[in-house]
Amino acid sequence: MLNRLVHGAEFDSSNGHAIEATGSSHVAQQVVLGSHAERAEVLRGQAIREAAVRVLVSSNRAHEALHYREWFELLLDAGMLPAGKDPLATFLTQLGRSPVVAKSTSQGIYMLDHEFVHRAHQRLGALTQELRETQLSPVAADADALGNTRRRRAELMSEVERTEMELEEALRSLGGAGEQQLLAAAGA
Protein backbone atom coordinates (compact mmCIF):
# COMPACT_ATOMS: atom_id res chain seq x y z
CA MET A 1 0.00 0.00 0.00
CA LEU A 2 2.84 2.40 0.82
CA ASN A 3 4.49 1.69 -2.52
CA ARG A 4 1.23 2.51 -4.27
CA LEU A 5 0.89 5.78 -2.37
CA VAL A 6 4.50 6.84 -2.86
CA HIS A 7 5.08 5.64 -6.42
CA GLY A 8 1.56 5.64 -7.86
CA ALA A 9 1.87 2.06 -9.09
CA GLU A 10 0.87 -1.46 -8.20
CA PHE A 11 3.82 -3.56 -7.05
CA ASP A 12 4.47 -7.25 -7.26
CA SER A 13 5.40 -8.10 -3.67
CA SER A 14 7.54 -11.06 -4.78
CA ASN A 15 10.07 -8.95 -6.70
CA GLY A 16 9.26 -5.32 -5.79
CA HIS A 17 8.70 -4.25 -9.42
CA ALA A 18 5.92 -2.03 -10.63
CA ILE A 19 3.15 -3.96 -12.38
CA GLU A 20 1.37 -0.98 -13.92
CA ALA A 21 1.93 2.73 -13.57
CA THR A 22 -1.38 4.24 -12.56
CA GLY A 23 -0.68 7.88 -11.77
CA SER A 24 -1.14 9.73 -8.54
CA SER A 25 -4.75 10.71 -9.25
CA HIS A 26 -5.69 7.04 -9.43
CA VAL A 27 -3.98 6.39 -6.09
CA ALA A 28 -5.68 9.39 -4.48
CA GLN A 29 -8.98 8.18 -5.84
CA GLN A 30 -8.43 4.71 -4.39
CA VAL A 31 -7.75 6.27 -0.99
CA VAL A 32 -10.96 8.31 -1.23
CA LEU A 33 -13.02 5.36 -2.44
CA GLY A 34 -11.53 2.93 0.04
CA SER A 35 -13.95 3.58 2.87
CA HIS A 36 -16.94 3.93 0.53
CA ALA A 37 -16.31 1.02 -1.84
CA GLU A 38 -17.08 -1.76 0.63
CA ARG A 39 -20.57 -0.56 1.52
CA ALA A 40 -21.59 1.17 -1.70
CA GLU A 41 -24.40 0.31 -4.05
CA VAL A 42 -22.78 0.04 -7.49
CA LEU A 43 -24.59 1.98 -10.22
CA ARG A 44 -24.34 1.92 -14.00
CA GLY A 45 -25.45 4.19 -16.85
CA GLN A 46 -28.71 6.04 -16.39
CA ALA A 47 -28.94 4.91 -12.76
CA ILE A 48 -25.83 7.00 -12.03
CA ARG A 49 -27.43 10.11 -13.53
CA GLU A 50 -30.70 9.64 -11.71
CA ALA A 51 -29.05 8.92 -8.37
CA ALA A 52 -26.71 11.89 -8.71
CA VAL A 53 -29.61 14.25 -9.33
CA ARG A 54 -31.71 12.76 -6.50
CA VAL A 55 -28.78 13.10 -4.10
CA LEU A 56 -28.27 16.75 -5.00
CA VAL A 57 -32.00 17.53 -4.91
CA SER A 58 -32.26 16.04 -1.43
CA SER A 59 -29.25 18.02 -0.20
CA ASN A 60 -29.22 21.62 0.94
CA ARG A 61 -27.16 22.43 -2.19
CA ALA A 62 -29.81 21.79 -4.85
CA HIS A 63 -29.73 25.39 -6.06
CA GLU A 64 -25.96 25.75 -6.05
CA ALA A 65 -23.43 25.26 -8.80
CA LEU A 66 -20.74 22.88 -7.59
CA HIS A 67 -17.64 21.12 -8.78
CA TYR A 68 -18.25 17.61 -10.04
CA ARG A 69 -15.86 16.20 -7.40
CA GLU A 70 -18.03 17.68 -4.64
CA TRP A 71 -21.11 16.21 -6.31
CA PHE A 72 -19.32 12.86 -6.56
CA GLU A 73 -18.60 13.03 -2.81
CA LEU A 74 -22.31 13.58 -2.13
CA LEU A 75 -23.05 10.42 -4.14
CA LEU A 76 -20.41 8.45 -2.24
CA ASP A 77 -21.69 9.74 1.09
CA ALA A 78 -25.15 8.52 0.09
CA GLY A 79 -23.69 5.01 -0.30
CA MET A 80 -23.59 4.84 -4.10
CA LEU A 81 -20.63 4.27 -6.39
CA PRO A 82 -20.46 4.40 -10.20
CA ALA A 83 -19.21 1.16 -11.73
CA GLY A 84 -16.00 1.19 -13.74
CA LYS A 85 -12.22 1.33 -13.46
CA ASP A 86 -12.38 5.04 -12.78
CA PRO A 87 -15.65 5.77 -10.94
CA LEU A 88 -15.03 9.53 -10.95
CA ALA A 89 -14.59 9.60 -14.74
CA THR A 90 -17.68 7.42 -15.15
CA PHE A 91 -19.61 9.79 -12.91
CA LEU A 92 -18.50 12.84 -14.88
CA THR A 93 -19.45 11.22 -18.20
CA GLN A 94 -22.91 10.31 -16.94
CA LEU A 95 -23.41 13.71 -15.32
CA GLY A 96 -22.91 15.35 -18.70
CA ARG A 97 -25.61 13.12 -20.21
CA SER A 98 -28.33 14.04 -17.74
CA PRO A 99 -31.08 16.19 -19.20
CA VAL A 100 -31.42 18.12 -15.93
CA VAL A 101 -27.74 18.92 -15.42
CA ALA A 102 -26.24 22.05 -16.92
CA LYS A 103 -22.58 22.93 -17.25
CA SER A 104 -21.63 26.33 -15.92
CA THR A 105 -19.18 28.72 -17.51
CA SER A 106 -16.47 27.61 -15.05
CA GLN A 107 -14.55 24.44 -15.78
CA GLY A 108 -15.77 21.40 -13.84
CA ILE A 109 -18.76 23.23 -12.34
CA TYR A 110 -22.26 21.84 -12.84
CA MET A 111 -25.74 22.68 -11.61
CA LEU A 112 -29.28 21.45 -11.86
CA ASP A 113 -31.31 22.88 -14.71
CA HIS A 114 -34.43 23.73 -12.73
CA GLU A 115 -36.27 24.87 -15.87
CA PHE A 116 -35.75 21.69 -17.90
CA VAL A 117 -39.11 20.11 -17.04
CA HIS A 118 -40.97 23.27 -18.01
CA ARG A 119 -39.05 23.63 -21.30
CA ALA A 120 -39.48 19.94 -22.17
CA HIS A 121 -43.21 20.15 -21.50
CA GLN A 122 -43.50 23.19 -23.77
CA ARG A 123 -41.39 21.49 -26.44
CA LEU A 124 -43.60 18.39 -26.35
CA GLY A 125 -46.69 20.56 -26.76
CA ALA A 126 -45.22 22.33 -29.79
CA LEU A 127 -44.02 19.08 -31.37
CA THR A 128 -47.35 17.38 -30.81
CA GLN A 129 -49.18 20.31 -32.35
CA GLU A 130 -46.94 20.32 -35.43
CA LEU A 131 -47.27 16.54 -35.76
CA ARG A 132 -51.05 16.83 -35.54
CA GLU A 133 -51.06 19.53 -38.24
CA THR A 134 -48.82 17.39 -40.46
CA GLN A 135 -51.10 14.40 -40.08
CA LEU A 136 -54.26 16.43 -40.75
CA SER A 137 -52.91 18.26 -43.78
CA PRO A 138 -54.24 17.19 -47.18
CA VAL A 139 -52.25 14.54 -49.00
CA ALA A 140 -49.76 16.17 -51.34
CA ALA A 141 -50.36 15.77 -55.05
CA ASP A 142 -46.72 15.32 -56.11
CA ALA A 143 -44.09 12.81 -54.99
CA ASP A 144 -41.61 15.42 -53.70
CA ALA A 145 -44.14 17.11 -51.43
CA LEU A 146 -45.42 13.76 -50.18
CA GLY A 147 -41.86 12.62 -49.43
CA ASN A 148 -41.10 15.88 -47.60
CA THR A 149 -44.24 15.49 -45.48
CA ARG A 150 -43.37 11.87 -44.64
CA ARG A 151 -39.78 12.81 -43.68
CA ARG A 152 -40.95 15.72 -41.52
CA ARG A 153 -43.49 13.49 -39.76
CA ALA A 154 -40.73 10.94 -39.03
CA GLU A 155 -38.45 13.72 -37.69
CA LEU A 156 -41.22 14.99 -35.45
CA MET A 157 -42.03 11.53 -34.11
CA SER A 158 -38.35 10.94 -33.37
CA GLU A 159 -38.06 14.30 -31.60
CA VAL A 160 -41.21 13.59 -29.56
CA GLU A 161 -39.80 10.22 -28.48
CA ARG A 162 -36.43 11.72 -27.51
CA THR A 163 -38.04 14.57 -25.58
CA GLU A 164 -40.41 12.17 -23.80
CA MET A 165 -37.48 9.96 -22.77
CA GLU A 166 -35.54 12.96 -21.44
CA LEU A 167 -38.60 14.22 -19.58
CA GLU A 168 -39.25 10.78 -18.12
CA GLU A 169 -35.66 10.58 -16.86
CA ALA A 170 -35.88 14.11 -15.48
CA LEU A 171 -39.07 13.33 -13.57
CA ARG A 172 -37.59 10.12 -12.14
CA SER A 173 -34.41 11.97 -11.20
CA LEU A 174 -36.10 14.97 -9.64
CA GLY A 175 -38.79 12.93 -7.88
CA GLY A 176 -41.46 15.10 -6.25
CA ALA A 177 -39.66 18.29 -7.30
CA GLY A 178 -39.98 17.24 -10.95
CA GLU A 179 -43.68 16.48 -10.58
CA GLN A 180 -44.21 19.92 -9.07
CA GLN A 181 -42.36 21.48 -12.02
CA LEU A 182 -44.52 19.52 -14.47
CA LEU A 183 -47.71 20.63 -12.75
CA ALA A 184 -46.48 24.23 -12.82
CA ALA A 185 -45.65 23.87 -16.53
CA ALA A 186 -49.10 22.45 -17.26
CA GLY A 187 -50.72 25.37 -15.50
CA ALA A 188 -48.64 27.96 -17.38
Side-chain angles (χ1 to χ4, degrees), residues 48-49 52 68 71 90-98 101 110:
I48 296 168
R49 299 191 300 269
Y68 71 90
W71 200 336
T90 301
F91 173 79
L92 182 57
T93 297
Q94 290 300 324
L95 199 62
R97 293 178 181 168
S98 173
V101 173
Y110 294 82

Side-chain angles (χ1 to χ4, degrees), residues 7-188:
H7 301 289
E10 296 289 330
F11 277 78
D12 181 343
S13 59
S14 65
N15 62 17
H17 290 82
I19 297 172
E20 175 185 1
T22 58
S24 60
S25 65
H26 176 72
V27 173
Q29 180 182 7
Q30 292 304 323
V31 171
V32 169
L33 295 178
S35 63
H36 296 285
E38 293 176 13
R39 59 182 168 81
E41 175 187 355
V42 178
L43 304 173
R44 299 181 189 290
Q46 185 175 339
I48 296 168
R49 299 191 300 269
E50 292 178 11
V53 170
R54 278 193 308 272
V55 164
L56 187 59
V57 166
S58 67
S59 78
N60 61 353
R61 302 184 73 186
H63 292 282
E64 294 178 31
L66 65 158
H67 195 274
Y68 71 90
R69 289 179 189 271
E70 292 176 81
W71 200 336
F72 181 71
E73 283 296 321
L74 290 174
L75 188 70
L76 291 178
D77 290 343
M80 293 174 261
L81 177 69
K85 282 186 175 183
D86 187 346
L88 182 61
T90 301
F91 173 79
L92 182 57
T93 297
Q94 290 300 324
L95 199 62
R97 293 178 181 168
S98 173
V100 294
V101 173
K103 200 172 190 179
S104 86
T105 55
S106 302
Q107 188 174 3
I109 306 294
Y110 294 82
M111 65 193 103
L112 290 177
D113 179 355
H114 295 282
E115 296 300 315
F116 175 81
V117 171
H118 178 71
R119 283 194 321 275
H121 187 262
Q122 286 183 324
R123 178 75 177 137
L124 274 175
L127 289 167
T128 302
Q129 180 63 31
E130 187 178 347
L131 184 58
R132 188 176 303 119
E133 290 168 3
T134 304
Q135 291 172 327
L136 295 175
S137 64
V139 177
D142 65 81
D144 288 340
L146 187 59
N148 290 338
T149 300
R150 182 178 45 77
R151 278 188 290 284
R152 181 62 185 148
R153 189 177 321 113
E155 289 170 1
L156 288 166
M157 290 172 60
S158 177
E159 182 70 14
V160 164
E161 183 176 358
R162 186 182 65 74
T163 304
E164 285 175 340
M165 288 172 49
E166 288 176 345
L167 182 56
E168 182 181 4
E169 180 178 332
L171 292 171
R172 269 196 315 271
S173 299
L174 294 167
E179 292 167 11
Q180 290 172 358
Q181 289 177 24
L182 185 60
L183 290 173

